[in-house]
Amino acid sequence: MNSTKIKNILLEVDSSEIKRIFKEAKAVKQTTLGHDVYLRGLIELSNICTKDCFYCGIRKSNRSVNRYLMTKDEIITSAMFAFEKGFGSIVLQSGERDDENFIAFIENIIEEINYLTSRQLRITLSLGEQTTETYKRWFNSGAHRYLLRIETSNESLYNKIHPTEHSYSNRVNCLSALKEIGYQLGTGVMIGLPFQTIDDLVNDILFFKNMDIDMIGMGPFFEHSQTPLFGQPVDIANSPSQLLELSLKMIAATRISLPKINIAATTALQALNPFGREKGINAGANVVMPNVTLTQYRKDYLLYEDRPCVNDLADDCFDCVIKRIEMTGQKVALFSNGDSLNFLTKNNQLL
Ligand code: SAM
Ligand code: SF4
Ligand code: FES
C-alpha cells in the first residue's frame, strides 16, 4: 500500500467505510496467518531507569516512583507460570540499564529459563538501547526476539519528546544491529503524541516496511502528571474515542500493508475502552500480551496513570484474555511459539 492509501485510511471519517477497512484487515490476517492469536506473557521486571523520556511515568527524574527490581526467583516464577499455562513466549521488559551487573543478571535469567523449559518458551527482550556486544551476549544466552519501539519515525518529533542526550540515530542503529545479529525484530510507535501529525503516522508505517520489521507493538499515548509532556495539546485526537479509532486504523493500515508480521493488540487499547484489545484483534492484530508480573509490583510500573489490570492476579488476566479472544471468533494458540511469518519466510525456516 502506498502512502496516499495509508493516509486515506487514517483520515477516513465515514463509519461504514471504517468498519469495512477493519473487516478487510482482519480478513488479510486470517488469509495469511489463520485464526490463531498468540499470547506473550509480559514480565515487567524492574522500573529502575537511567533515561528520562518526556512521556514516561518511570523516567529517572520522577522521584515519586517506588523503584524495584524483581528477584531472579520471582522472574523465573512468573516465566514458569506463563510456560505452564501454555503461553508460547514471554517478554522481559524493564527500564533501561547498561551496567554489567544488570547485563549479567539478564544473561543468567535467560539461561535459567531456557534450561527449565528445554528452550520451549521463546524469550523476547524489551530492555531498551544497548551496545551491539550486549545484544550479542543476550542472543547467545538464548533470547531471540527484541522489541524496541522507535516511538516515532519523525526525528524532529523524537527530539521534542526526549532530552538532548537521547539520540534518534542511535535508536535506529540499535534496530539495525538487532536485525544483523539475527533477532526477530519488533518495533512500534505511540499514537496521539503532542506535536504528532497524520503524516508522521503514515511515515511510521513506511518505516516499519523499510526496516523489514517482524513484529509491531504500538498503542495510544497517555499523559502522566509527573512528566514534561503533561498538559501538552494533541492535534490528531481530541477524545478517548477518537484516539481509539485512530489506533485501530493504524493497526488495520499496518496489517493491510504488511500481511505477514505479528501485530499486538496492546493493553493500552484496553485503557481507552474495556473492549479495546478485542477491537484491536478485529482490526487485524494477532498477538495479545497478558501481564504476568507479580501483582505486588504492577502499581509501581505506571508508564501512564489508570493502567488496566494493576490489581489483578496473573491467573485473572489469563482467564480474562482467553474469554475475550474467543469473543472475536479467533482461537488462542496455546503451546505455540507464534514466530513471525515474516521472519520465518525471509530466513527460510518454514517447514
Ligand atoms: N525502557 C525500554 C524502552 O524504552 O524501550 C522498555 C520499557 S518502556 C516502558 C516500553 C514502552 O512504553 C516504550 O517504548 C513507550 O512506547 C511506552 N510508553 C512509555 N510511556 C508511555 C505513555 N505515557 N503512554 C504510552 N506508552 C508509553
Ligand atoms: Fe526508561 Fe523506557 Fe520509560 Fe524511556 S520509555 S524512561 S527508557 S522505561
Ligand atoms: Fe487483566 Fe483482563 S487482562 S483482568
Side-chain angles (χ1 to χ4, degrees):
M1 214 174 14
N2 64 27
S3 58
T4 314
K5 283 195 175 150
I6 297 174
K7 191 167 176 177
N8 287 343
I9 290 182
L10 301 184
L11 289 174
E12 184 57 63
V13 287
D14 180 79
S15 60
S16 58
E17 180 56 16
I18 293 173
K19 265 191 200 143
R20 192 206 58 74
I21 292 165
F22 292 165
K23 225 171 149 186
E24 180 188 339
K26 191 176 180 187
V28 169
K29 181 256 160 190
Q30 281 181 199
T31 313
T32 322
L33 306 172
H35 281 72
D36 288 348
V37 171
Y38 302 111
L39 301 184
R40 318 280 185 236
L42 178 63
I43 305 175
E44 297 159 339
L45 62 93
S46 173
N47 64 0
I48 300 168
C49 189
T50 55
K51 293 185 101 179
D52 228 356
C53 307
F54 290 164
Y55 42 86
C56 178
I58 62 171
R59 64 200 297 266
K60 74 169 174 195
S61 296
N62 184 1
R63 306 268 173 250
S64 54
V65 175
N66 177 29
R67 303 283 169 179
Y68 71 84
L69 170 65
M70 285 170 69
T71 65
K72 178 178 165 187
D73 282 354
E74 288 170 336
I75 297 168
I76 303 280
T77 302
S78 301
M80 292 311 285
F81 167 86
F83 181 60
E84 279 150 21
K85 285 285 184 183
F87 289 54
S89 74
I90 52 163
V91 180
L92 299 178
Q93 191 180 83
S94 143
E96 196 171 303
R97 276 177 62 182
D98 60 2
D99 51 286
E100 176 55 32
N101 278 350
F102 183 72
I103 295 167
F105 178 71
I106 296 294
E107 205 166 34
N108 188 248
I109 283 165
I110 297 168
E111 281 163 6
E112 185 83 10
I113 294 172
N114 274 325
Y115 171 74
L116 291 172
T117 63
S118 308
R119 296 185 172 267
Q120 292 306 301
L121 186 66
R122 290 279 195 280
I123 302 173
T124 304
L125 303 178
S126 174
L127 304 172
E129 292 169 45
Q130 304 287 340
T131 62
T132 302
E133 194 206 331
T134 301
Y135 287 146
K136 277 189 186 154
R137 274 173 70 178
W138 289 340
F139 187 84
N140 292 337
S141 322
H144 294 149
R145 300 175 181 176
Y146 207 100
L147 279 179
L148 183 73
R149 284 184 176 182
I150 189 67
E151 315 296 2
T152 170
S153 62
N154 176 342
E155 184 166 2
S156 82
L157 174 56
Y158 187 94
N159 291 337
K160 283 190 187 137
I161 62 170
H162 293 98
T164 41
E165 34 327 336
H166 296 204
S167 145
Y168 176 81
S169 57
N170 191 53
R171 204 137 178 113
V172 176
N173 290 342
C174 284
L175 286 171
S176 302
L178 288 161
K179 185 152 59 163
E180 181 72 29
I181 292 166
Y183 281 95
Q184 259 179 69
L185 188 57
T187 192
V189 294
M190 284 178 284
I191 300 157
L193 285 163
F195 322 112
Q196 195 174 42
T197 64
I198 291 294
D199 283 323
D200 289 334
L201 294 176
V202 173
N203 289 330
D204 290 342
I205 296 179
L206 299 178
F207 176 89
F208 303 156
K209 216 169 174 170
N210 292 338
M211 291 292 289
D212 195 11
I213 294 296
D214 303 307
M215 328 180 271
I216 295 294
M218 61 188 162
F221 160 72
F222 295 102
E223 58 179 10
H224 185 296
S225 60
Q226 301 301 309
T227 62
L229 287 188
F230 185 70
Q232 293 285 343
V234 174
D235 294 332
I236 53 177
N238 295 315
S239 65
S241 61
Q242 278 184 12
L243 184 54
L244 177 66
E245 191 172 273
L246 185 58
S247 304
L248 297 173
K249 287 175 183 168
M250 276 294 281
I251 291 179
T254 304
R255 171 59 70 205
I256 297 169
S257 303
L258 298 161
K260 289 192 281 190
I261 63 170
N262 283 340
I263 304 178
T266 56
T267 312
L269 290 173
Q270 199 188 331
L272 287 172
N273 179 300
F275 297 103
R277 283 181 308 189
E278 294 80 330
K279 289 176 186 289
I281 293 170
N282 283 332
N286 69 324
V287 170
V288 174
M289 296 164 66
N291 199 329
V292 297
T293 310
L294 297 181
T295 311
Q296 73 211 68
Y297 293 113
R298 295 187 189 190
K299 65 178 182 337
D300 295 320
Y301 201 85
L302 288 190
L303 311 180
Y304 50 88
E305 286 136 338
D306 299 328
R307 262 192 100 196
C309 304
V310 165
N311 296 313
D312 292 302
L313 298 170
D315 246 331
D316 297 338
C317 288
F318 178 74
D319 295 339
C320 166
V321 158
I322 301 270
K323 281 196 203 107
R324 283 161 172 262
I325 294 174
E326 283 168 359
M327 277 165 52
T328 66
Q330 304 291 294
K331 192 175 113 263
V332 183
L334 293 175
F335 300 101
S336 162
N337 59 50
D339 280 319
S340 157
L341 182 61
N342 191 59
F343 180 84
L344 295 178
T345 315
K346 71 186 166 209
N347 289 286
N348 287 324
Q349 287 182 21
L350 285 177
L351 294 176

